[in-house]
Amino acid sequence: MASLPVPDQAPAPGPTAAPAGEAPPPAEAPHRMLRPFGLVMLVLVVGMLVTLLSWDVARDLSQRAEARRFEYRTARILTDIRHALETDETLLRSVAGLFSVGGGITRQQWRDYFDALESGTRSPGRLWLAYAQRVPAREREQHERQARSEGLAGYGVRAMQERPFYYPLAYFRSFGPQDRRPLGLDLQEDPLAQEAMGRSLESGSVVLTGPLTLATPRGTGGQVWALLVPVYAGGAVPASSVARQQSVLGFLVEAFDTMHLVESALGSDANVMALRVRDGSVPIFTSRELADADGWRPTLQRTADLDFGQRRWSVEFSTLPRFDSSLGSDQSWVILALGFVISGLMAGLLGLQANLRARALHQVEQRTEALRSALAQRAESEARLRAVFDHALDAIITIDSRGVVQSFNPAAERIFGWRADEVIGRNVNMLMPGPDRQRHDSYLDNYLRGGKPKIIGIGRLVVGLRKDGSTFPLDLGVSEMPVGDQRFFCGIVRDVTERLRAETAVRQSERKLRSYIEQSLDGVAVVDGEGRYLEVNPAAADMLGYTEEELLRMSIPVILSGVEAERRQGLAHFERVQREGRSS
């Protein structure tokens, strides 16, 4: 091998060939060896990741299948509960038709009707069905006599207080042991039933009452609810609430045991699913299995709302231990054995992921730029509004729904004498003298509750109070500004002291001029272009020989001399005055 040159030596002239058998640089060989190993490791890692991902997907699909079965069962239970309630409503409406047309039915017809439909009147949880007939107080005794004459011995309207109208349970059908105790009981004795009657007349539709406290037959669950359907004269539901109040004949009432109703809907799923039903904070039903499965953590849960009869029931579903055992074992482990087969797909998946990521980043950049542009436009708009607010000649004051001042522009500072920082955060009634100061909050509260506005959206002349205690007239216009879910109010104020002073001076001048004309000894008259008198003073009336009222119904051509020459001369003079604006 040729020796390397040293500082005091020059290289040998001409090319120098390397000795035969010289090896390549040693750093290249390890680098080439690492590449296949790295690729194998990459494929192995990618294959493991794909396997785990596939196993996770398979397990997720299995869980979704469980969730679908769970959703199907919960939907069936909800449908059965709703169907039972709708069936009860259909029965009530069919019976209501018997009372609303043809003058009603007798009690014997009532009994025959249910005897004929005995097989069709069985519904889960149904306890009894009654007709609460509307009875005016003046007809109470007549109603009681008629009921007794139809076989109800000892019947009477039972109410704890006197009312203009009673709604006694005059017709009653029990679907369990016969019990006549509820007959004659005023439905209004139950607060929830009375409230439901009002809602039914307000909406004209069927309503649920809530737990009844009336002394009526009860089921095994102890909690009794009722469906109410109003009965109207003629059968048709009146369009307005007032008309429904006037034409209602009574209410068809069906009471049912909520425990039996929900248990019937739960059916065979009671061993694998548990229910808890609430109406707001009122518990309606709780599965017995929830107490037996102490410490069990359900794998699936769902809460659904059931809206019926203007009430909303919250139904909570949860699985029981038997639900999981009924589904069979999880077969997703098979994916682990076949995971390495799909290792080759990882490259495509990674490429797809990179492409999706690039698109997502591009969309993020576009939306970020759009957001910046929107923020810039908003800042410019706010700057313009601030310029208008600060340079307006009229005072601009904004307040919130409690009357607290939110903004106070420079014109308001000049008119009222207060600085903005002295007013903002305080009640706007500080700018008003009494009694408006004391009444302002009640005016605002009344408007927010839907009352008639006194200034808002109308505008009027009011009195303002300056910082130095002096008062002044101002023209106030107020408008409402909804901002999101909040309500603000903007008031524009103009000091009209000078304007009112000028108007007063004009009125005083007009009164003086009219006084001069009325007291003048010379005749003064005002006529229009046709010569009709518009105004005359007493002196003119005396000269012409008419009263002022008579002249105001006449014209110059009418009162001119009957001599034709003089008449033409008078008309010519009037026309010359019209042309030249003077009489000479």
Side-chain angles (χ1 to χ4, degrees):
M1 180 180 292
S3 61
L4 295 175
V6 296
D8 294 335
Q9 290 179 313
T16 303
E22 184 175 356
E28 292 291 332
H31 183 69
R32 288 198 303 267
M33 293 176 62
L34 286 175
R35 286 180 180 176
F37 180 77
L39 183 59
V40 170
M41 293 300 297
L42 178 61
V43 171
L44 179 61
V45 171
V46 170
M48 293 177 63
L49 290 176
V50 171
T51 300
L52 292 175
L53 178 62
S54 301
W55 171 75
D56 185 69
V57 169
R59 186 178 61 175
D60 182 65
L61 291 175
S62 176
Q63 292 174 349
R64 289 185 181 183
E66 295 178 11
R68 283 195 297 270
R69 286 190 288 269
F70 178 75
E71 291 287 336
Y72 167 78
R73 295 186 179 188
T74 59
R76 181 199 62 78
I77 294 171
L78 286 172
T79 301
D80 287 351
I81 296 175
R82 180 179 294 279
H83 177 71
L85 293 173
E86 290 175 347
T87 301
D88 293 342
E89 179 187 357
T90 302
L91 174 62
L92 289 178
R93 293 196 179 279
S94 64
V95 177
L98 301 177
F99 285 97
S100 59
V101 296
I105 62 175
T106 65
R107 286 172 175 78
Q108 184 58 46
Q109 291 173 328
W110 166 274
R111 288 189 289 270
D112 294 341
Y113 178 85
F114 284 104
D115 290 339
L117 295 177
E118 183 176 1
S119 60
T121 56
R122 298 299 180 185
S123 178
R126 182 180 292 159
L127 298 175
W128 52 265
L129 191 148
Y131 175 53
Q133 182 177 350
R134 185 187 191 192
V135 178
R138 63 179 181 275
E139 300 176 8
R140 176 176 178 175
E141 294 182 2
Q142 177 184 351
H143 167 75
E144 293 173 342
R145 287 194 302 270
Q146 181 179 354
R148 296 187 191 112
S149 67
E150 292 179 1
L152 297 181
Y155 174 87
V157 176
R158 291 181 288 157
M160 298 297 293
Q161 62 183 14
E162 294 184 356
R163 297 184 174 96
F165 294 94
Y166 299 92
Y167 289 87
L169 301 181
Y171 295 75
F172 189 85
R173 175 75 177 200
S174 177
F175 296 95
Q178 293 299 321
D179 189 346
R180 296 183 57 181
R181 288 179 303 164
L183 278 170
L185 185 62
D186 188 357
L187 188 60
Q188 299 173 98
E189 293 296 303
D190 189 298
L192 291 180
Q194 186 178 28
E195 184 266 343
M197 292 164 66
R199 286 190 289 116
S200 179
L201 291 179
E202 185 67 24
S203 63
S205 59
V206 64
V207 297
L208 275 170
T209 62
L212 295 180
T213 58
L214 292 173
T216 59
R218 313 183 74 83
T220 58
Q223 194 174 100
V224 178
W225 287 54
L227 277 174
L228 266 68
V229 170
V231 180
Y232 299 102
V237 179
S240 67
S241 174
V242 174
R244 290 192 287 271
Q245 294 278 355
Q246 295 174 349
S247 63
V248 66
L249 299 176
F251 292 88
L252 262 300
V253 187
E254 179 183 329
F256 57 92
D257 183 344
T258 54
M259 180 74 73
H260 190 190
L261 172 69
V262 179
E263 283 181 342
S264 175
L266 190 57
S268 59
D269 289 334
N271 294 327
V272 295
M273 295 180 59
L275 284 184
R276 182 178 284 111
V277 184
R278 293 187 178 91
D279 183 288
S281 61
V282 178
I284 298 176
F285 174 85
T286 302
S287 294
R288 299 184 184 93
E289 289 77 9
L290 286 177
D292 299 336
D294 187 24
W296 165 255
R297 299 183 62 181
T299 56
L300 294 173
Q301 290 179 308
R302 177 194 176 192
T303 299
D305 290 331
L306 178 64
D307 295 320
F308 192 86
Q310 303 180 32
R311 300 192 76 95
R312 173 168 291 179
W313 286 1
S314 176
V315 185
E316 299 175 9
F317 299 88
S318 57
T319 58
L320 292 173
R322 292 185 180 180
F323 180 86
D324 294 337
S325 61
S326 67
L327 298 177
S329 60
D330 184 9
Q331 300 297 323
S332 60
W333 61 269
V334 178
I335 302 298
L336 294 175
L338 301 176
F340 290 102
V341 177
I342 60 173
S343 298
L345 299 176
M346 184 56 68
L349 293 175
L350 292 177
L352 178 60
Q353 182 180 7
N355 184 40
L356 293 176
R357 182 174 180 275
R359 291 183 180 182
L361 291 175
H362 181 64
Q363 292 180 355
V364 169
E365 291 175 356
Q366 288 182 330
R367 293 178 180 178
T368 302
E369 185 62 28
L371 179 60
R372 290 196 188 99
S373 176
L375 291 176
Q377 293 177 359
R378 178 177 179 181
E380 181 181 357
S381 176
E382 290 179 352
R384 291 177 180 174
L385 290 176
R386 172 56 61 179
V388 172
F389 181 80
D390 291 340
H391 295 86
L393 297 178
D394 294 334
I396 302 177
I397 306 170
T398 60
I399 64 172
D400 62 12
S401 58
R402 297 176 294 124
V404 177
V405 177
Q406 304 298 310
S407 64
F408 200 74
N409 75 336
E413 294 180 335
R414 172 176 51 80
I415 292 175
F416 287 95
W418 293 92
R419 296 194 314 274
D421 59 351
E422 296 175 316
V423 180
I424 294 175
R426 298 176 62 183
N427 197 295
V428 73
N429 61 19
M430 67 179 289
L431 306 177
M432 307 172 190
D436 289 340
R437 179 196 296 267
Q438 292 77 21
R439 298 175 180 173
H440 175 265
D441 289 346
S442 63
Y443 291 159
L444 182 58
D445 184 65
N446 177 67
Y447 173 75
L448 292 174
R449 292 176 182 271
K452 182 178 180 181
K454 301 193 182 309
I455 295 181
I456 299 172
I458 300 174
R460 59 185 291 186
L461 188 66
V462 296
V463 178
L465 178 65
R466 296 191 180 94
K467 183 178 181 180
D468 60 9
S470 61
T471 59
F472 64 100
L474 55 87
D475 192 3
L476 173 62
V478 182
S479 59
E480 184 176 356
M481 305 184 304
V483 179
D485 58 350
Q486 302 184 39
R487 301 171 73 177
F488 293 89
F489 301 89
C490 177
I492 299 180
V493 178
R494 175 174 297 176
D495 186 348
V496 294
T497 302
E498 295 301 325
R499 190 191 76 188
L500 294 182
R501 186 179 293 118
E503 291 176 354
T504 301
V506 170
R507 287 194 295 270
Q508 290 176 350
S509 177
E510 289 178 350
R511 285 196 297 269
K512 288 180 181 180
L513 178 59
R514 181 166 295 279
S515 177
Y516 294 153
I517 294 175
E518 292 292 333
Q519 298 175 14
S520 175
L521 298 178
D522 296 328
V524 179
V526 179
V527 298
D528 61 11
E530 302 294 330
R532 290 186 293 265
Y533 287 99
L534 302 177
E535 288 189 25
V536 293
N537 68 343
D542 291 341
M543 292 178 183
L544 296 174
Y546 297 96
T547 65
E548 294 181 31
E549 292 76 11
E550 290 174 336
L551 283 175
L552 293 178
R553 296 193 295 269
M554 303 172 70
S555 62
I556 289 177
V558 174
I559 66 171
L560 288 176
S561 172
V563 180
E564 185 61 27
E566 294 178 354
R567 180 179 180 83
R568 284 197 301 271
Q569 182 180 1
L571 291 175
H573 177 74
F574 176 65
E575 292 174 355
R576 185 169 64 255
V577 170
Q578 285 183 305
R579 289 194 308 272
E580 300 177 3
R582 54 193 179 87
S583 62
S584 61

